[in-house]
Amino acid sequence: MNPALRKEYLRALGITPWVLRAGKTSETAAAALPRVEESQARAVGASVVPSAPPRAPQAPPLEENLSWEQLRSRVAACTRCALSKTRTQTVFGVGDPNADWLVVGEAPGAEEDRRGEPFVGRAGQLLDSMLRAIGLARGQVYIANVLKCRPPGNRDPAPAECTECLPYLERQIALLKPKIMLAVGRIAAQNLLKTDSPLSKLRQQEYRFGAARVPLVVTYHPAYLLRTPTDKRKAWEDLKFAREVCARVDR
Ligand code: SF4
């Protein structure tokens, strides 16, 4: 990416671009980031991080081979959990169905519930800036949530709701075949990794999700970063780490 453009995006993220000290190359700076070797990557899906407590049992799988449109219709008509009674509409997901990157958030908020699209409003704008900082336009990725319906009052999703809804995301992943998943925020990360570990312990590591063992990296939710801008630099480190992981994937 053009260095001047990257600086501009980093400023949008509220991050002062790093200036390399004399004698250091960008490669050596990148090498200073925490890395996880392939052998350390933890398998996730049926079982995950060793310290993870047991979660609710898996919901029945969907019928196999649902197309994007069939899946979208299935979600739009879904009544598998009580959130169907309070939603304005389902929020299926948006983006390039051939994208390498799948960004997964927690659940729709009020604005998303109203517009039917994930990550809109100020948090969505910051997510767009975060993606642009690593050279990706919003339209080049696919964006979805663990839950397709808004929990009332923006409360945290209940484990049972996530269990019921997860098969939809799993089918989206099967259709998309992403090179990498970026879990944004504690709720998304904990539900995908089936762990109660805090986000600070989950970031900067490479996990594998599901039967296809899709590489998964965790970072902060943009709504959290709006409240805690001092952590934007850590998010930037996570994005660079995710980009490194993605670059190693042969699809
Ligand atoms: S949250 Fe998911 S499982 Fe619950 S009603 Fe909405 S689409 Fe169905």
Side-chain angles (χ1 to χ4, degrees):
M1 172 187 262
N2 179 309
L5 195 56
R6 171 169 295 174
K7 268 190 190 172
E8 200 178 304
Y9 290 144
L10 289 177
R11 282 203 191 91
L13 266 174
I15 294 170
T16 306
W18 286 342
V19 177
L20 295 175
R21 281 176 298 197
K24 281 210 168 191
T25 65
S26 57
E27 282 72 23
T28 54
L33 288 172
R35 298 182 72 108
V36 175
E37 299 301 328
E38 280 292 327
S39 60
Q40 292 174 277
R42 300 175 187 183
V44 293
S47 62
V48 204
V49 185
S51 60
R55 285 272 183 176
Q58 293 265 308
L62 294 173
E63 311 94 288
E64 286 185 4
N65 302 324
L66 286 181
S67 68
W68 277 111
E69 279 319 304
Q70 288 170 324
L71 185 63
R72 187 184 290 275
S73 302
R74 204 59 55 92
V75 168
C78 181
T79 55
R80 286 168 74 121
C81 82
L83 296 182
S84 60
K85 298 192 179 86
T86 51
R87 72 187 178 214
T88 302
Q89 60 187 313
T90 54
V91 179
F92 181 73
V94 69
D96 180 355
N98 298 306
D100 287 342
W101 286 65
L102 170 61
V103 178
V104 183
E106 159 189 343
E111 185 70 4
E112 286 85 1
D113 175 68
R114 194 175 65 76
R115 289 171 53 176
E117 182 173 335
F119 285 95
V120 293
R122 286 183 66 219
Q125 287 166 11
L126 180 54
L127 176 67
D128 293 352
S129 295
M130 292 164 70
L131 293 170
R132 279 199 302 268
I134 52 169
L136 293 168
R138 183 179 173 96
Q140 288 177 284
V141 305
Y142 198 88
I143 305 173
N145 284 313
V146 172
L147 279 192
K148 309 305 186 201
C149 302
R150 179 192 180 213
N154 288 348
R155 66 161 169 76
D156 284 353
E161 292 161 355
C162 293
T163 301
E164 288 299 328
C165 212
L166 202 56
Y168 296 129
L169 180 66
E170 288 170 342
R171 183 62 192 149
Q172 286 176 307
I173 294 166
L175 287 163
L176 192 63
K177 299 184 181 62
K179 282 171 83 170
I180 187 163
M181 293 170 63
L182 182 68
V184 295
R186 176 181 64 85
I187 300 288
Q190 289 181 340
N191 277 286
L192 293 173
L193 299 176
K194 303 194 190 312
T195 178
D196 285 341
S197 294
L199 189 139
S200 58
K201 288 207 161 59
L202 298 174
R203 51 184 291 274
Q204 288 291 309
Q205 299 193 63
E206 179 184 340
Y207 302 89
R208 298 279 170 161
F209 182 84
R213 298 182 55 73
V214 180
L216 185 153
V217 170
V218 171
T219 192
Y220 295 97
H221 196 287
Y224 166 83
L225 294 173
L226 288 171
R227 296 192 301 272
T228 319
T230 47
D231 276 343
K232 283 182 178 176
R233 179 167 291 282
K234 291 184 191 165
W236 171 232
E237 290 168 4
D238 297 340
L239 291 170
K240 287 191 297 180
F241 176 64
R243 189 175 55 184
E244 286 174 22
V245 169
C246 185
R248 291 200 296 267
V249 177
D250 213 10
R251 188 169 75 166

